[in-house]
């Protein structure tokens, strides 16, 4: 699976918002509105395809922005696109690697924002690494109903099916947040 590489040239000013009647993707070079995967496959392949589709949407929203723009909080809670990427990196690790696989690895803080020394390039690379590790764990699972090693909640360890559906929900929610934040920054729309 390929992920778009982040734009590395800093932009000094945000791009202008779309002009009425002109699609933002035409003005700003965004990827436009990509449709969800259309495939007729087994359950695991279908769930993973939808999760990857949403992960790609998040990385696309974080790509091509200046460091200042990607860190800009677009709402009073302080949420930024880069903060969403860091959060999703942590929850990928926590649910698939720590919880389901039971790896001897520390839980990651999924509530802290980007540190001053963390860049869009470094956090997107970390997200892609977490996705790669998660996908290895998913592909190695031969029974979606089998519970994982432990739970992040005070419940029995969830099945891989539950973790996949939860991560689709989690990633979709934050992809929507990133979509709105990106539109506020430069008018780009689409998945």
């Amino acid at each position: 699976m390929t992920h778009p590489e982040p734009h590395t040239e800093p932009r000094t000013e945000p791009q202008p918002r779309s002009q009425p009647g002109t699609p933002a993707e035409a003005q700003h070079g965004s990827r436009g509105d990509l449709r969800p995967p259309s495939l007729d496959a087994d359950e695991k392949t279908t769930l993973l395809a939808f999760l990857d589709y949403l992960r790609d949407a998040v990385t696309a929203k974080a790509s091509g922005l200046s460091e200042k723009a990607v860190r800009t909080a677009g709402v009073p809670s302080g949420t930024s696109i880069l903060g969403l990427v860091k959060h999703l990196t942590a929850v990928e690790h926590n649910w698939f690697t720590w919880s389901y696989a039971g790896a001897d690895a520390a839980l990651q803080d999924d509530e802290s924002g980007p540190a001053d020394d963390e860049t869009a390039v470094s956090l997107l690379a970390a997200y892609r690494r977490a996705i790669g590790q998660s996908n290895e764990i998913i592909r190695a699972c031969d029974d979606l109903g089998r519970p994982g090693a432990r739970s992040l909640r005070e419940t029995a360890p969830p099945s891989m099916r539950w973790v996949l559906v939860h991560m689709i929900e989690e990633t979709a929610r934050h992809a929507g947040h990133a979509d709105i934040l990106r539109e506020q920054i430069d008018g780009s729309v689409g998945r």
Side-chain angles (χ1 to χ4, degrees):
M1 159 151 170
T2 61
H3 297 279
E5 288 301 315
H7 182 77
T8 56
E9 294 177 17
R11 293 189 184 147
T12 55
E13 296 181 27
Q15 295 179 351
R17 293 198 176 271
S18 300
Q19 299 300 314
T22 306
E25 61 270 20
Q27 292 184 31
H28 307 302
S30 79
R31 56 191 229 153
D33 195 22
L34 300 180
R35 299 247 182 244
S38 60
L39 70 155
D40 186 12
D42 62 273
E43 183 182 16
K44 181 168 63 171
T45 301
T46 301
L47 291 170
L48 184 55
F50 273 83
L51 182 54
D52 280 339
Y53 165 75
L54 294 165
R55 291 162 165 167
D56 286 345
V58 170
T59 60
K61 292 300 171 180
S63 299
L65 292 171
S66 69
E67 284 292 325
K68 180 181 177 187
V70 79
R71 290 174 175 276
T72 299
V75 292
S77 67
T79 302
S80 69
I81 294 175
L82 198 56
L84 292 171
V85 170
K86 185 170 181 177
H87 169 76
L88 287 169
T89 302
V91 296
E92 286 275 347
H93 168 82
N94 293 346
W95 277 112
F96 289 111
T97 303
W98 186 88
S99 175
Y100 191 82
D104 185 23
L107 280 173
Q108 292 184 8
D109 180 358
D110 65 3
E111 295 184 5
S112 68
D116 290 342
D117 64 339
E118 293 176 315
T119 65
V121 170
S122 70
L123 288 176
L124 282 166
Y127 186 41
R128 290 183 182 111
R129 283 190 303 275
I131 290 168
Q133 179 65 38
S134 297
N135 284 354
E136 285 180 24
I137 293 165
I138 296 163
R139 288 186 183 107
C141 178
D142 60 1
D143 178 2
L144 294 182
R146 185 175 48 243
R150 55 189 169 210
S151 181
L152 285 168
R153 299 178 177 176
E154 294 179 13
T155 62
S159 68
M160 176 58 80
R161 180 179 292 106
W162 187 94
V163 174
L164 278 165
V165 171
H166 171 67
M167 287 303 298
I168 289 168
E169 175 272 329
E170 177 89 8
T171 308
R173 186 162 42 98
H174 294 313
H177 296 150
D179 191 38
I180 292 166
L181 292 171
R182 180 67 186 249
E183 185 175 356
Q184 289 176 336
I185 292 167
D186 68 2
S188 294
V189 296
R191 285 172 252 179

